[in-house]
């Protein structure tokens, strides 16, 4: 696919026109150079970047705008899947967005994004997610912040004070033979949330041995009957003084006692590492068993969502039991794929959504409002207060019943 892109806003300084095409291996050096221009060089002491071969990766779909032979804007589409409302929803991740300094503000991003999303739609990806550096740019294009991927610091001594399990839960180190059970615990947790990656597909194509090798240790929580009910993947880090830190890359428990058992393992490092850094998101249930309140956020990466194809995105979900039917509209999509009327039905807990003629005064979402409703981040009352939902209120309770009720989390950065 090759298209001609014209910069929006003819009077905008630096406005340009160029050719939008797939970025190939021959363009790799320009791609990397534009990334350095946009995001800077790595600070001293940073781990080396991943190897460039193979390039592009199997899960990555890079696009660029070229002015002659020069790459002036770039964007990447990432093949992902997300859990929403109990279903695996194919997802177009957006990454590597950068525009040359002289061309910023000329409208190139909207055209590039539309191209990547169109390709994603052809692959069956009705939603899109990204981690923004400038949320306002993406709000205009139909995205909204629904959660965040955070890093928080805790005192290791507080974790050592977590009371022990009472149901017979024990812990042990995972082996390669246990990795399917680790994956099953993650799936069991993720399918009850909105937003987590499915961790399937080429983006997550690690072998069981590779998965274990990425961290110092993976510890399992095991119930009295032998079932694996949780895991924590942790890195020891360096040193054993006041600056030493344990990094927890993943902590997932399916029971309160699994959380307690896993926290106590991390807390056992209290004499040699006073701080634990945890990657987390949202209202993490693991926090509910902690005896203290110290949970200091040190890194915050907002996550934005766009429901590019509402009919497809809202079909096949596991919604409220019973039979329901509700009409709604979407208006104001700059990219032009969402606007119109829709009819959402749910029977025996499974949804179907189709484009349809609906009353002009039906509940009407902005693109951002639909993203928030789909994720369950905000209910109808709050969306109306924020100006993201208008029209009659008769169906608000049904929309909230169908789309609400699940916590929103992301646990993977791309």
């Amino acid at each position: 696919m090759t298209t001609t892109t014209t910069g929006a806003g003819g009077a905008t300084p630096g406005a340009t026109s160029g050719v939008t095409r797939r970025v190939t291996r021959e363009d790799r050096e320009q791609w990397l150079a534009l990334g350095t221009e946009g995001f800077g060089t790595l600070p001293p002491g940073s781990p080396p970047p991943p190897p460039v071969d193979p390039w592009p990766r199997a899960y990555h779909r890079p696009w660029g705008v070229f002015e002659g032979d020069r790459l002036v804007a770039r964007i990447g589409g990432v093949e992902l899947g997300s859990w929403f409302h109990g279903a695996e929803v194919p997802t177009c991740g957006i990454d590597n967005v950068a525009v040359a300094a002289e061309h910023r503000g000329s409208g190139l991003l909207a055209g590039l994004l539309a191209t990547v999303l169109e390709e994603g739609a052809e692959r069956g990806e009705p939603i899109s997610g990204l981690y923004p550096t400038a949320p306002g740019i993406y709000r205009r294009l139909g995205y909204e912040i629904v959660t965040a991927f955070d890093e928080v610091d805790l005192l290791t001594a507080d974790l050592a004070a977590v009371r022990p399990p009472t149901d017979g839960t024990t812990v042990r180190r995972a082996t390669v033979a246990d990795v399917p059970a680790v994956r099953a615990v993650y799936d069991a947790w993720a399918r009850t949330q909105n937003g987590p990656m499915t961790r399937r597909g080429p983006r997550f194509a690690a072998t069981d041995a590779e998965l274990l090798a990425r961290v110092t240790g993976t510890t399992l929580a095991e119930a009295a009957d032998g079932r694996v009910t949780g895991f924590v993947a942790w890195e020891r880090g360096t040193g054993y003084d006041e600056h030493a830190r344990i990094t927890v890359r993943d902590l997932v428990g399916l029971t309160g006692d699994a959380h307690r058992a896993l926290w106590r393992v991390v807390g056992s490092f209290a004499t040699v590492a006073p701080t634990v850094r945890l990657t987390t998101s949202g209202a993490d249930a693991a926090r509910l068993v902690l005896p203290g309140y110290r949970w200091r956020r040190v890194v915050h990466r907002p996550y934005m969502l766009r429901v590019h194809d509402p009919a497809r995105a809202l079909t096949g979900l596991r919604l409220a039991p019973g039979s329901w039917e509700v009409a709604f509209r979407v208006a104001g999509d700059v990219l032009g794929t969402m606007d119109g009327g829709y009819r959402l039905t749910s029977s025996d807990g499974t949804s179907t959504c189709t484009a349809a003629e609906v009353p002009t005064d039906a509940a009407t979402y902005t693109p951002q409002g639909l993203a928030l409703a789909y994720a369950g981040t905000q209910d109808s009352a709050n969306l109306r207060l924020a100006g993201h939902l208008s029209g009659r209120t008769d169906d608000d309770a049904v929309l909230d019943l169908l789309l609400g009720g699940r916590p929103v989390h992301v646990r993977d950065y791309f």
Side-chain angles (χ1 to χ4, degrees), residues 44-264:
S46 297
V52 293
D53 286 316
W55 199 94
R57 299 295 179 90
Y59 56 81
H60 203 236
R61 308 191 292 268
W63 286 85
V65 177
F66 290 81
E67 191 177 63
D69 293 331
R70 182 185 172 217
L71 178 67
V72 297
R74 72 174 200 178
I75 193 171
V78 185
E79 182 183 339
L80 298 168
S82 304
W83 287 100
F84 278 94
H85 303 284
E88 299 181 51
V89 182
T91 303
C92 180
I94 301 296
D95 73 352
N96 282 277
V97 178
V99 179
E102 299 81 2
H103 297 276
R104 292 171 192 157
S106 62
L108 296 181
L109 177 56
L112 262 181
L113 183 63
T115 298
V116 173
L117 293 178
E118 177 187 352
E119 181 183 39
E122 291 170 355
R123 296 171 61 93
E125 297 165 350
I127 65 173
S128 174
L130 57 85
Y131 288 98
T133 55
I137 294 173
Y138 298 101
R139 282 194 173 104
R140 187 178 69 82
L141 300 173
Y143 289 84
E144 189 49 83
I145 295 171
V146 296
T147 188
F149 183 63
D150 292 336
E151 295 180 27
V152 299
D153 278 356
L154 303 90
L155 296 181
T156 317
D158 285 351
L159 305 182
V162 171
R163 68 178 177 85
T166 59
D167 68 348
T169 295
T170 56
V171 295
R172 64 178 177 85
R173 185 67 59 91
T175 68
V176 171
D178 295 310
V179 173
V182 170
R183 296 183 193 272
V185 166
Y186 174 83
D187 285 346
W189 168 80
R191 72 167 56 95
T192 63
Q193 320 294 315
N194 279 343
M197 298 294 109
T198 61
R199 294 185 175 175
R200 290 179 172 81
R203 168 66 176 77
F204 296 98
T207 67
D208 291 353
E210 289 169 339
L211 195 68
L212 285 189
R214 289 176 177 175
V215 292
T216 306
T218 298
T219 301
L220 306 181
E222 201 168 62
D225 61 3
R227 291 179 300 112
V228 175
T229 54
F231 68 92
V232 57
W234 50 273
E235 295 175 4
R236 171 60 180 87
T238 59
Y240 50 88
D241 57 15
E242 69 272 19
H243 304 295
R245 183 174 71 199
I246 305 298
T247 299
V248 174
R249 296 297 181 191
D250 235 351
L251 191 155
V252 178
L254 302 182
T255 69
D257 277 330
H259 284 128
R260 292 185 183 94
L262 296 172
W263 277 132
R264 286 173 61 84

Side-chain angles (χ1 to χ4, degrees), residues 274-287:
T275 304
V276 169
R277 180 158 295 180
L278 168 73
T279 57
T280 183
S281 63
D284 193 339
R287 190 177 184 180

Side-chain angles (χ1 to χ4, degrees), residues 276-310:
V276 169
R277 180 158 295 180
L278 168 73
T279 57
T280 183
S281 63
D284 193 339
R287 190 177 184 180
L288 299 178
V289 304
L290 298 180
Y293 60 86
R294 283 171 284 204
W295 183 276
R296 185 171 67 91
R297 189 173 71 188
V298 292
V299 178
H300 183 63
R301 302 182 183 94
Y303 182 72
M304 302 187 86
L305 181 72
R306 172 184 163 88
V307 184
H308 191 66
D309 181 347

